Amino acid sequence: MMIDFRVYDESDAPEAARPMLEAAKKRMGFVTTLNAVMAESPELLAGYNALAEQFGRSSLSLAAKQVVLITASVENGCEYCVAAHSTLALRAHIPAEVVQALREGKQLPDAELEAVRRLTQAMVAQRGSVDDAEIEAFLAAGHTRRHVLDIVLGVGMKTLSNYTNHITHIPLDPAWQDQQWTHEQAM
């Protein structure tokens, strides 16, 4: 038996969550089911939104940010987030072959982005206990110490949404359907 979590909208969500859902609708054109379920806890929704905003401002390139978000979601087996971020990455003109490789957990052709993928994957798989050799390899690929910490921020943001999705079994939004993914695809 699965516990049902309510999918709210901006008119019936808890009062504190309504402005955040209204803002999400203005920003995205719709309220994602992720936000709609997170609205049950306005604090979770606010925390996730704050992390997303800060990660968006981070020093990583747009492509590197998408590498972090997709890689963390693949490593955590989050079908919803892989589909959503694959769609957003393609809309941001990240090459389709890069997005596909990320979805399959495969090496990227771009050395700088591959370093981001490898470090992100290691952070998630090792729950943050990445050894110095991994960090040194990342820095040797042209990244900075700040990039290391910005990846920590992205992984934290994705952990909130990945875990929420696992617990609540959020239905996939129609906007993400074309990029539907299952964790078997990464094996």
Side-chain angles (χ1 to χ4, degrees):
M1 184 173 135
M2 187 169 59
I3 296 174
D4 287 328
F5 283 81
R6 185 159 173 197
V7 178
Y8 290 96
D9 64 33
E10 62 277 16
S11 68
D12 67 356
E15 192 65 39
R18 289 180 187 180
M20 291 179 278
L21 294 182
E22 289 168 4
K25 188 171 187 175
K26 286 179 186 169
R27 186 175 59 254
M28 297 282 298
F30 66 101
V31 174
T32 65
T33 51
L34 172 66
N35 279 228
V37 169
M38 282 183 166
E40 180 81 28
S41 169
E43 296 77 15
L44 172 62
L45 181 57
Y48 178 75
N49 287 339
L51 287 177
E53 182 179 334
Q54 293 305 311
F55 186 61
R57 293 180 182 163
S58 75
S59 66
L60 297 168
S61 69
L62 176 61
K65 289 172 189 165
Q66 289 302 321
V67 169
V68 170
L69 300 175
I70 295 171
T71 301
S73 297
V74 166
E75 191 65 29
N76 280 323
C78 184
E79 296 176 359
Y80 180 97
C81 290
V82 172
H85 287 291
S86 295
T87 302
L88 295 172
L90 291 168
R91 287 181 188 168
H93 307 292
I94 308 301
E97 58 274 7
V98 169
V99 174
Q100 190 59 38
L102 290 168
R103 292 163 57 90
E104 294 172 359
K106 293 184 177 173
Q107 184 173 343
L108 300 178
D110 178 288
E112 220 173 289
L113 292 179
E114 174 59 12
V116 173
R117 186 193 71 80
R118 285 184 48 134
L119 184 58
T120 303
Q121 185 178 42
M123 276 189 196
V124 175
Q126 298 166 28
R127 293 188 290 268
S129 295
V130 180
D131 63 36
D132 288 344
E134 284 280 350
I135 302 296
E136 288 172 14
F138 180 77
L139 297 173
H143 292 285
T144 67
R145 287 170 175 75
R146 180 176 177 181
H147 291 155
V148 172
L149 298 176
D150 286 344
I151 290 173
V152 171
L153 174 62
V155 167
M157 172 197 155
K158 276 297 94 188
T159 300
L160 288 177
S161 61
N162 293 168
Y163 286 14
T164 299
N165 280 292
H166 292 321
I167 291 166
T168 64
H169 311 283
I170 294 174
L172 194 59
D173 292 294
W176 318 140
Q177 288 292 330
D178 288 347
Q179 293 301 314
Q180 193 167 5
W181 178 88
T182 62
H183 65 276
E184 288 83 22
Q185 289 174 268
M187 298 184 177

